[in-house]
Amino acid sequence: MPIIVVEVMPKAELLDPAGKAVAGALHRLGHDRIAQVRIGKRFELHVDGEVDAALLAEVETVAGEMLANTVIEDVVTVEVLGAGVAGETH
Amino acid sequence: MRIGVITFPGSLDDRDAMRAIRLAGAEPVALWHGEHDLKGVEAIVLPGGFSYGDYLRCGAIAAHSPIMAEVIDAANDGLPVLGICNGFQILVETHLLPGGLVRNDHGDFIRRDQRLRVESTESSWTSGFTPGQEITIPLKNGEGGYIADEATLDRLEGEGLVAFRYLDVNPNGSLRDIAGLRNERGNVVGLMPHPEHAVEPGFGPDTPAAMRSGTDGLTFFTSVLRQSVLA
């Protein structure tokens, strides 16, 4: 079964308090070289049948309208998992 | 006047909102997220809570529930809609109000009696206040930080669409101390603090006069009622 991966990140210019909290914890543990953490989301959409251009377009629409709130987040990835790997099947 | 309160899976304050409506002198009508029926109500409250467990983003899944199609159409036709806390989050997710609400900048859930300044009385839900009036109502949330880009913030300020601003402290990192907004037409209002928890003496915030005597939230509901009488 093919999987379409959608990744969403908070907009770079906006505050990401969750990422900031994780960065603070890492610094307390001594990981000083990690300057910043930003936390996003990864969705794996399991698809019935083959992925075609129409379905990818549909997913891009859904990604912009529901999976991300584009006022505060960006859709950074919409791709078929394993795409481009010769002979790969799911 | 009949005012609907929509219950979503995970709503918490729907019954408090109905009680506030009753205390204000209107008739509360229970509405269900899964139906396409507003039952002819003359105003709508989207209550606080944690619809769908705050999954995806606060209010995001509720914003796509069946009844919201009717709510969005009705709001665009001028029906008064008040979103409280999770209801405010639902309103920004439907884009009836601009911007977004993110985790409090300090990372903690917060519960306090919050002083606010009423910045706009040009709305269905704030017309009973005086401009600049200072009120105290409870605030309780984990994701109440209001954000929007600079251009949007400047437009909100310029057009007088900031309805409420936090006083004394900014409890959650909201940009420009914004606690609540109204739309251009004034029928849609959203805010993070909870007016429905400050409507009856004995159960509201403390005031200098007496413990638990604060009823500043009642004016939200009497405002919409008064507008209906005048209309």
Side-chain angles (χ1 to χ4, degrees):
Chain A
M1 185 177 275
I3 295 172
I4 301 175
V5 173
V6 177
E7 289 175 328
V8 173
M9 290 297 292
K11 281 190 187 292
E13 66 271 25
L14 295 176
L15 186 68
D16 173 18
K20 203 172 144 193
V22 171
L26 289 172
H27 293 166
R28 283 194 296 280
L29 292 168
H31 302 287
D32 295 329
R33 295 177 62 193
I34 299 170
Q36 193 189 6
V37 178
R38 298 185 70 76
I39 300 179
K41 296 191 186 88
R42 173 186 168 104
F43 302 84
E44 295 190 347
L45 311 181
H46 296 241
V47 174
D48 279 332
E50 293 303 304
V51 176
D52 54 24
L55 180 61
L56 272 180
E58 184 181 335
V59 168
E60 289 199 10
T61 303
V62 169
E65 289 181 354
M66 184 176 182
L67 301 183
N69 175 357
T70 54
V71 176
I72 57 174
E73 299 169 316
D74 292 319
V75 178
V76 294
T77 306
V78 177
E79 64 184 22
V80 182
L81 195 64
V85 179
E88 173 149 350
T89 54
H90 292 284
Chain B
M1 183 184 198
R2 299 169 74 244
I3 303 179
V5 177
I6 301 177
T7 299
F8 299 91
S11 292
L12 291 180
D13 298 317
D14 41 347
R15 295 189 58 178
D16 291 59
M18 294 180 77
R19 179 170 155 274
I21 288 164
R22 195 176 303 115
L23 286 166
E27 178 193 343
V29 177
L31 300 177
W32 183 242
H33 72 102
E35 296 176 352
H36 283 282
D37 186 3
L38 298 181
K39 298 186 179 173
V41 296
E42 295 152 89
I44 291 173
V45 176
L46 304 178
F50 299 87
S51 59
Y52 292 92
D54 281 349
Y55 293 168
L56 189 57
R57 294 174 303 279
C58 298
I61 300 179
H64 292 273
S65 59
I67 203 169
M68 287 308 294
E70 278 70 26
V71 172
I72 292 165
D73 285 348
N76 287 328
D77 284 342
L79 191 80
V81 177
L82 174 65
I84 302 167
C85 196
N86 192 219
F88 185 22
Q89 294 163 337
I90 293 170
L91 287 175
V92 300
E93 284 287 342
T94 61
H95 304 305
L96 282 171
L97 293 173
L101 291 147
V102 297
R103 190 167 296 279
N104 297 345
D105 60 350
H106 45 71
D108 291 334
F109 191 96
I110 191 161
R111 210 299 319 167
R112 68 196 307 269
D113 292 337
Q114 177 67 49
R115 274 210 324 142
L116 305 172
R117 188 190 306 113
V118 181
E119 298 283 7
S120 173
T121 57
E122 316 264 299
S123 88
S124 303
W125 303 93
T126 61
S127 61
F129 292 110
T130 54
Q133 188 175 339
E134 295 179 4
I135 64 172
T136 301
I137 59 177
L139 175 75
K140 45 167 197 171
N141 64 66
E143 303 198 28
Y146 182 75
I147 57 170
D149 59 40
E150 283 296 310
T152 302
L153 292 168
D154 288 342
R155 181 177 69 81
L156 291 170
E157 304 267 13
E159 297 179 8
L161 303 181
V162 176
F164 300 95
R165 232 185 279 271
Y166 295 113
L167 286 178
D168 302 331
V169 294
N170 181 330
N172 48 29
S174 290
L175 298 177
R176 314 233 181 144
D177 298 334
I178 290 173
L181 299 174
R182 69 169 175 94
N183 67 350
E184 289 80 354
R185 192 166 177 169
N187 62 307
V188 177
V189 170
L191 77 166
M192 288 311 298
H194 287 260
E196 82 282 19
H197 295 328
V199 293
E200 186 176 14
F203 302 93
D206 292 348
T207 72
M211 278 175 65
R212 310 257 179 267
S213 63
T215 58
D216 288 342
L218 198 59
T219 306
F220 287 73
F221 304 96
T222 53
S223 292
V224 76
L225 192 58
R226 188 179 68 162
Q227 175 185 285
S228 134
V229 170
L230 293 175

